[in-house]
Amino acid sequence: MPFSKDLKYDPAITEALAENYTSIIEGAGEDVNREGLLKTPERASKAMQFLTQGYEQDAEAILKGAMFAEDYSEMVIVKNIEFYSLCEHHLLPFFGKAHIAYIPEGYIVGLSKIPRVVDVFARRFQVQERLTDQILNSIQKTLNPMGVAVVIEAQHMCMMMRGVQKQASVTTTSAFTGAFKSERTRNEFLKLITSDLT
């Protein structure tokens, strides 16, 4: 099932989450019956379900649904994939770009499926390090290519809005398998994702 703003919301889950959001709003000292907040618990409930719909998605099934036998064996890169996720420590957003490459060995995958795999894992409670590994491992396991590379650059609202309050900080994580363990191949990938070829 694709990610959609028209997600079908389970009424029981929506109601239960809305009740919890009502308690949170009241706990913060607000009047949940104030005009501007009357529908906020339900809206927040649906927003949370949308932001965590990745739990209902299967990355391997998405990839297997668009695998094609092909002799191509050079690097395939999809870069600047925007994503939004929720930090599991504070439930605040972190967001940025993912850069992904693989070197096919018998199979390629439809290019749109790679950003969808990013969303499958981003639309969960996450830490950036795990997100990086989950994307890498799902592609490696499903396509069995000669190697996979993933680099993620993200800004974390838990660092920007609270805590150290450093608005310009960017966190970078990376993971590599197979051919990308070679310094030469890895450096080619890193050069390509930082260059502007257009």
Side-chain angles (χ1 to χ4, degrees), residues 80 108 150 178 197:
N80 297 327
I108 61 171
V150 178
L197 300 178

Side-chain angles (χ1 to χ4, degrees), residues 117-170:
V117 167
V118 173
D119 279 344
V120 166
F121 296 113
R123 299 293 189 177
R124 303 178 182 188
F125 299 130
Q126 275 291 9
V127 294
Q128 185 175 332
E129 295 88 344
R130 184 192 310 126
L131 175 62
T132 305
D133 280 341
Q134 287 177 329
I135 295 167
L136 178 103
N137 292 335
S138 66
I139 296 172
Q140 182 64 53
K141 179 180 178 182
T142 309
L143 298 182
N144 195 28
M146 286 184 270
V148 180
V150 178
V151 170
I152 292 179
E153 303 170 282
Q155 293 179 280
H156 293 248
M157 298 304 287
C158 57
M159 290 180 62
M160 298 166 69
M161 291 179 67
R162 57 165 300 284
V164 294
Q165 298 181 58
K166 300 301 179 186
Q167 282 73 39
S169 63
V170 176

Side-chain angles (χ1 to χ4, degrees), residues 58-70:
D58 184 337
E60 291 182 24
I62 288 170
L63 291 169
K64 286 178 180 177
M67 286 177 62
F68 308 99
E70 190 63 52

Side-chain angles (χ1 to χ4, degrees), residues 22-89:
T22 296
S23 297
I24 291 170
I25 293 168
E26 290 175 339
E30 259 288 3
D31 176 9
V32 76
N33 295 310
R34 182 164 62 79
E35 181 182 10
L37 293 173
L38 282 174
K39 295 185 178 179
T40 297
E42 181 182 353
R43 285 192 295 258
S45 172
K46 290 181 177 179
M48 182 58 71
Q49 290 175 74
F50 177 84
L51 295 173
T52 58
Q53 65 182 288
Y55 289 115
E56 304 299 322
Q57 304 286 327
D58 184 337
E60 291 182 24
I62 288 170
L63 291 169
K64 286 178 180 177
M67 286 177 62
F68 308 99
E70 190 63 52
D71 290 334
Y72 188 81
S73 59
E74 299 297 327
M75 196 180 301
V76 178
I77 300 174
V78 182
K79 66 179 186 177
N80 297 327
I81 303 167
E82 71 274 14
F83 73 90
Y84 302 88
S85 192
L86 290 174
C87 168
E88 68 181 34
H89 298 145

